[in-house]
Amino acid sequence: MFVYEKRLQYPVRIANPNPKLAAIIISQYGGPDGELGASLRYLSQRYSMPFDELRGLLTDIGTEELGHLEMVGAIVHQLTRNLKEGQIRDSAFAPYFVDHTVGVFPAAAAGYPYTAASMQVKGDPIADLTEDLAADGAIM
Amino acid sequence: MNHAAKIGIECLGTTVPMKRLEECLLKPQKRDRSCGEGILPAIAPLANPYVPFQRENPPRYEARKGLVRGTLFPGLDLPFMGMVNKREQPVTPKTELQTLAFAIQELALYLDTHRDDTEALELYRSYQQLYHEGSMVYAKECGPLNHLFPGEGDYAWLNDPWPWEFAANKEA
């Protein structure tokens, strides 16, 4: 069961919108090593995890990743506030805008939509934890 | 999360001296029976990557510093490209909650693998108590945090601003 908490984990306060940056940051939302992938990875791997410590960790980290997802969504949202036409037309944000306007869509910076094909759940603790290290290491 | 991984190299249960390793890698045609045979360089030792366990009772930041550093534990504080967040958050009911909730989350992750650390457990419990008290102050001032929390008056759940809006974070 999940209960929504109406607050961010850490404040997101972006005074100056920057659509060009939003077009990059979106990858941390729905890209191969983004927060959506992280939360689904951990929350799905926990069912076959044979140790209490790791079941607990995967549950707690997977839940926290959902909080990160919300913060990244807030970042993209605030980076694309009150845009003027020129800011959209003449920036790297234009290809994103044509499909999603200023909606926050889970996709990689390269444009492809979020796919679970970029994560793995093997039902084997060593394989799954190694996959977690690779995914987490990739964004360090 | 930060993972401090280090690589240990051993070959069929024995540690291979660096000099021997270099010799074998530079002369791949030279077979080395102690390390198996095959079409790979004769010596292609197995590498066992591992993540060191966090020690019992590790040093901790105080909760406010933990929030801005992104971890409660100095031992896990590995700033990305050396960039350290030194911004201090103003003290408001909301940042109080964010601070406490983050410290609780960090202690929970630690306790998941160190459930017998009574000192950490005690701190976890005291932060829980403070969070509970803080959330009541917050709810009165800013509206409910979730649907389960007992409230009174009008249905305030829909009140602006929502957490992702600039306005919700302006003074926070």
Side-chain angles (χ1 to χ4, degrees):
Chain A
M1 177 63 194
F2 286 94
V3 177
Y4 181 64
E5 191 91 346
K6 200 177 171 185
R7 61 170 178 83
L8 294 183
Q9 187 180 28
Y10 187 87
V12 172
R13 179 176 45 242
I14 298 169
N16 302 313
N18 182 341
K20 204 170 149 186
L21 190 54
I24 302 295
I25 303 268
I26 195 65
S27 232
Q28 192 56 25
Y29 193 76
D33 302 310
E35 307 294 345
L36 181 58
S39 51
L40 286 178
R41 174 179 287 118
Y42 297 137
L43 292 176
S44 301
Q45 288 176 353
R46 65 196 170 130
Y47 299 100
S48 49
M49 197 47 79
F51 306 107
D52 276 340
E53 295 95 320
L54 298 181
R55 278 192 280 259
L57 262 186
L58 289 173
T59 300
D60 292 339
I61 298 175
T63 305
E64 182 171 4
E65 302 290 0
L66 287 170
H68 296 173
L69 181 72
E70 186 185 31
M71 285 193 288
V72 176
I75 291 170
V76 173
H77 171 67
Q78 291 184 28
L79 283 172
T80 56
R81 282 184 309 136
N82 309 323
L83 297 183
K84 296 187 181 73
E85 196 187 324
Q87 281 177 294
I88 297 164
R89 196 180 289 279
D90 311 325
S91 84
F93 184 64
Y96 178 95
F97 185 86
V98 73
D99 287 327
H100 313 296
T101 68
V102 292
V104 179
F105 177 70
Y112 60 89
Y114 176 74
T115 169
S118 54
M119 55 172 262
Q120 183 56 283
V121 181
K122 292 300 282 184
D124 175 87
I126 299 295
D128 283 355
L129 291 175
T130 305
E131 214 263 335
D132 298 346
L133 284 176
D136 226 328
I139 56 165
M140 269 172 69
Chain B
M1 280 183 63
N2 297 318
H3 299 287
K6 54 179 176 179
I7 307 294
I9 294 184
E10 43 174 62
C11 183
L12 300 178
T14 51
T15 308
V16 180
M18 213 49 190
K19 204 176 165 196
R20 184 89 190 96
L21 202 70
E22 283 168 7
E23 193 184 86
C24 289
L25 289 172
L26 291 173
K27 300 176 190 165
Q29 73 283 6
K30 193 174 170 186
R31 299 240 158 156
D32 184 339
R33 287 185 177 277
S34 70
C35 284
E37 297 179 38
I39 53 166
L40 289 169
I43 176 166
L46 294 173
N48 298 322
Y50 56 92
V51 178
F53 272 84
Q54 195 177 8
R55 297 257 178 97
E56 286 277 324
N57 198 15
R60 284 179 296 266
Y61 290 136
E62 53 90 25
R64 254 185 193 275
K65 188 169 183 187
L67 179 71
V68 295
R69 297 303 296 248
T71 174
L72 196 64
F73 303 103
L76 300 179
D77 191 0
L78 305 168
F80 180 67
M81 302 195 39
M83 291 182 290
V84 177
N85 182 17
K86 289 179 179 155
R87 178 192 295 268
E88 282 184 24
Q89 298 297 333
V91 181
T92 66
K94 187 189 279 167
T95 61
E96 280 296 295
L97 282 188
Q98 284 167 326
T99 300
L100 290 166
F102 184 73
I104 293 167
Q105 168 78 13
E106 287 283 279
L107 286 165
L109 296 179
Y110 171 78
L111 286 164
D112 282 345
T113 50
H114 302 77
R115 61 162 76 176
D116 298 324
D117 187 333
T118 49
E119 199 183 308
L121 182 65
E122 219 168 275
L123 191 61
Y124 167 77
R125 298 239 193 272
S126 71
Y127 282 152
Q128 281 179 323
Q129 190 56 39
L130 289 171
Y131 183 86
H132 181 71
E133 291 160 13
S135 61
M136 286 194 286
V137 174
Y138 178 87
K140 255 192 192 140
E141 219 171 283
C142 315
L145 274 170
N146 60 53
H147 281 299
L148 301 179
F149 198 82
E152 46 194 41
D154 292 342
Y155 187 69
W157 180 250
L158 303 180
N159 290 0
D160 284 333
W162 287 81
W164 51 86
E165 291 176 68
F166 180 68
N169 297 275
K170 225 172 12 190
E171 289 116 32

